[in-house]
Amino acid sequence: MLPVPEPQSDEELLARARDVAGLTLGELGARVGVEVPSESLRAKGVAGQILEKALGATAGSRAEPDFVTLGIELKTIPLDATGKPKESTFVCSISLSAMADTDWERSTVLKKLARVLFVPVEAASKTPLRDRRVGRAYCWSPNAEEQRLMRADWERLALMIAAGDVERITGHLGEVLQVRPKAPHGRSRRRAPDEEGAIQWTMPRGFYLRPAFTRAVLARLRADE
Amino acid sequence: MLPVPEPQSDEELLARARDVAGLTLGELGARVGVEVPSESLRAKGVAGQILEKALGATAGSRAEPDFVTLGIELKTIPLDATGKPKESTFVCSISLSAMADTDWERSTVLKKLARVLFVPVEAASKTPLRDRRVGRAYCWSPNAEEQRLMRADWERLALMIAAGDVERITGHLGEVLQVRPKAPHGRSRRRAPDEEGAIQWTMPRGFYLRPAFTRAVLARLRADE
DNA sequence: CAGGATCCACTATTGGATCCCG
DNA sequence: CGGGATCCAATAGTGGATCCTG
């Protein structure tokens, strides 16, 4: 139960991730000193937190990648009974200052996703949380086509946000990247300027990758091996 | 209320079809002497029958195209509130003798679909049957890509049928063309040989085009204009 | 029965709402 | 709050079952 040190190379990180493949969240949680709740409603995010510890991610919430030295972000992907991603993947919150970076190349989204370690985790809802197994991990950098898809969505959404049209954005927009609420509850509000630059209250939102996209990404990574 | 004569050319048929665009089924039914029931559960197929009469299709059930001289089949396409096909399109029943034609080029499916007049009809379930409007008609012949898609599905399904694997076919198979029950009720049975050539009872089935495919076809036809 | 199709219960998807931890 | 995400009511989709007419 000693803290796992930060990995010093991509290879070390990937090897470590693949070493824990096949373990259950209960087993892995015990290794890193995390008790896995039996009720998953009260345990959103626990899989991600266990894997952070198990792989030696820098602790705490930061505006930096989980593995600072390597510049790699860790993302766990919940898989349904048929092996497909069952949820969208949170990328980052949307803030005005982040949108001040007005081009895709410098966007928080691309920075976050430039290098990602995807760790699939079984998540069939009938399987108790502690019995869900970790799958084979892959290190992803978006290829040209994947970047084109994300960029097209990002540019449209960024324009709407910059134009003060935030309230007209719904989760329907975007082929691979979407904007959805990111808040503790539906009454959360944060200040933002509207179309005329006046301040108004708006619900906190974040960028997410659609499940169909992460599915395609995982399929490519498996095929590339 | 005189019978409408059979059209003598493709142009005449299309002109006639476009002439009735915008009319409701109630109005068109009155023209051809068909009373439109108010309850649509008791009126499956009535839109097709009204349009047959209105456009001068050869009356009666035959193994021939609706417009014999022109070799054109009539298909009405029900559209939902957003303008998309809301149902699959029946193509033809499956019989052993039909499957004896073992190649796609001579298949009943391709013969039926070689030349089709598609007539969209509003079908939002909240709109009373008699108030649903006829849309703009298009004459379709499958292009190379559309034929490739149908052929791929047909060949797989035909093989299964010929091999006596009918019972293993479900509506899930086929990207654009699928096999589904075609019977007055779930107890209907018809004789067919199984894998070993023995006779067994099986439910009558037919080939259908998926809604996503007819949607794409209509979109292409509109774009081509 | 063949030909004209739609019905509708069930499954799959989804996107707005929400939960925990440091 | 920001970062780790999942929940779940509502909608969309689908495919097995069914209805009418000649």
Side-chain angles (χ1 to χ4, degrees):
Chain A
M1 229 187 296
L2 293 173
V4 176
E6 186 177 358
Q8 294 305 305
S9 70
D10 297 11
E11 294 70 25
E12 185 183 355
L13 173 58
L14 189 59
R16 209 179 277 178
R18 292 191 169 177
D19 203 50
V20 300
L23 297 179
T24 65
L25 291 181
E27 292 164 347
L28 197 55
R31 284 199 188 178
V32 299
V34 170
E35 178 71 18
V36 181
S38 44
E39 200 192 342
S40 59
L41 174 58
R42 304 290 163 190
K44 297 181 184 182
V46 78
Q49 288 153 10
I50 288 174
L51 277 150
E52 284 178 355
K53 290 196 179 185
L55 301 182
T58 304
S61 301
R62 302 222 200 155
E64 295 184 82
D66 296 291
F67 304 97
V68 179
T69 312
L70 304 179
I72 293 181
E73 180 75 16
L74 172 66
K75 289 290 175 194
T76 60
I77 303 288
L79 302 183
D80 66 18
T82 68
K84 296 180 301 185
K86 63 176 297 201
E87 298 288 353
S88 53
T89 301
F90 174 67
V91 181
C92 60
S93 295
I94 296 177
S95 69
L96 287 175
S97 52
M99 296 325 288
D101 299 335
T102 45
D103 65 337
W104 164 249
E105 301 299 342
R106 303 180 199 183
S107 70
T108 310
V109 172
L110 180 56
K111 278 182 200 156
K112 275 275 186 183
L113 300 180
R115 284 159 58 79
V116 177
L117 182 74
F118 278 125
V119 183
V121 177
E122 285 180 353
S125 45
K126 62 169 189 182
T127 308
L129 196 55
R130 66 167 55 82
D131 296 336
R132 298 181 184 176
R133 290 182 189 282
V134 175
R136 181 173 182 81
Y138 293 91
C139 199
W140 176 58
S141 289
N143 67 16
E145 172 65 3
E146 289 156 351
Q147 284 202 46
R148 187 186 66 71
L149 290 166
M150 291 191 290
R151 176 182 197 144
D153 290 339
W154 185 90
E155 289 182 340
R156 173 168 182 201
L157 294 165
L159 272 179
M160 292 180 71
I161 295 165
D165 272 349
V166 182
E167 296 299 336
R168 294 213 297 227
I169 294 180
T170 80
H172 297 278
L173 298 174
E175 186 181 340
V176 303
L177 191 69
Q178 64 180 169
V179 167
R180 282 166 47 203
K182 175 66 169 114
H185 50 74
R187 277 86 60 204
S188 294
R189 288 296 182 271
R190 130 178 318 189
R191 293 192 314 164
D194 67 12
E195 306 98 62
E196 289 153 13
I199 297 296
Q200 61 177 358
W201 289 101
T202 176
M203 183 182 300
R205 289 170 168 82
F207 282 111
Y208 293 78
L209 298 179
R210 290 184 181 277
F213 182 62
T214 49
R215 178 185 183 179
V217 166
L218 288 176
R220 170 173 82 78
L221 294 172
R222 292 188 190 111
D224 283 354
E225 274 200 321
Chain B
M1 228 180 305
L2 293 173
V4 175
E6 187 178 357
Q8 295 306 305
S9 70
D10 297 12
E11 294 71 24
E12 185 184 355
L13 174 57
L14 189 59
R16 210 179 275 177
R18 292 192 169 176
D19 204 50
V20 301
L23 296 179
T24 65
L25 292 181
E27 292 164 348
L28 198 54
R31 284 199 187 178
V32 298
V34 170
E35 178 73 18
V36 181
S38 45
E39 199 191 344
S40 59
L41 174 58
R42 303 289 163 191
K44 297 182 183 183
V46 77
Q49 288 153 10
I50 287 173
L51 277 150
E52 285 178 353
K53 292 196 177 183
L55 301 182
T58 304
S61 300
R62 301 220 202 159
E64 297 184 81
D66 296 290
F67 303 97
V68 180
T69 312
L70 305 179
I72 293 180
E73 179 75 16
L74 173 66
K75 288 289 176 196
T76 60
I77 303 289
L79 302 184
D80 67 16
T82 68
K84 297 180 300 188
K86 63 177 294 199
E87 298 288 352
S88 54
T89 299
F90 174 67
V91 181
C92 59
S93 295
I94 296 177
S95 71
L96 288 175
S97 53
M99 296 326 288
D101 299 335
T102 45
D103 64 337
W104 163 249
E105 301 297 343
R106 302 180 201 183
S107 70
T108 310
V109 172
L110 181 55
K111 279 181 199 154
K112 275 275 186 183
L113 299 180
R115 283 158 58 79
V116 177
L117 182 73
F118 279 124
V119 183
V121 176
E122 283 182 354
S125 46
K126 62 169 187 180
T127 308
L129 195 56
R130 68 167 53 84
D131 296 337
R132 297 180 185 176
R133 291 182 188 281
V134 175
R136 181 174 182 82
Y138 293 91
C139 198
W140 176 58
S141 289
N143 67 16
E145 172 66 4
E146 289 157 351
Q147 285 202 47
R148 186 185 66 71
L149 290 166
M150 290 192 290
R151 175 182 198 143
D153 290 339
W154 184 91
E155 288 181 342
R156 173 168 183 201
L157 294 164
L159 272 179
M160 293 181 71
I161 295 165
D165 271 350
V166 182
E167 296 299 335
R168 294 214 297 228
I169 294 181
T170 80
H172 296 280
L173 299 175
E175 186 181 340
V176 304
L177 192 68
Q178 65 180 166
V179 168
R180 282 166 46 202
K182 175 69 169 108
H185 50 74
R187 278 85 60 203
S188 294
R189 288 295 181 273
R190 133 177 316 191
R191 294 193 313 166
D194 66 12
E195 306 98 62
E196 288 152 15
I199 297 296
Q200 61 177 359
W201 290 100
T202 175
M203 183 182 301
R205 289 170 168 83
F207 283 111
Y208 294 77
L209 299 178
R210 290 183 180 277
F213 182 62
T214 49
R215 179 186 182 179
V217 166
L218 288 176
R220 169 174 81 79
L221 293 172
R222 292 187 191 114
D224 283 354
E225 276 200 319

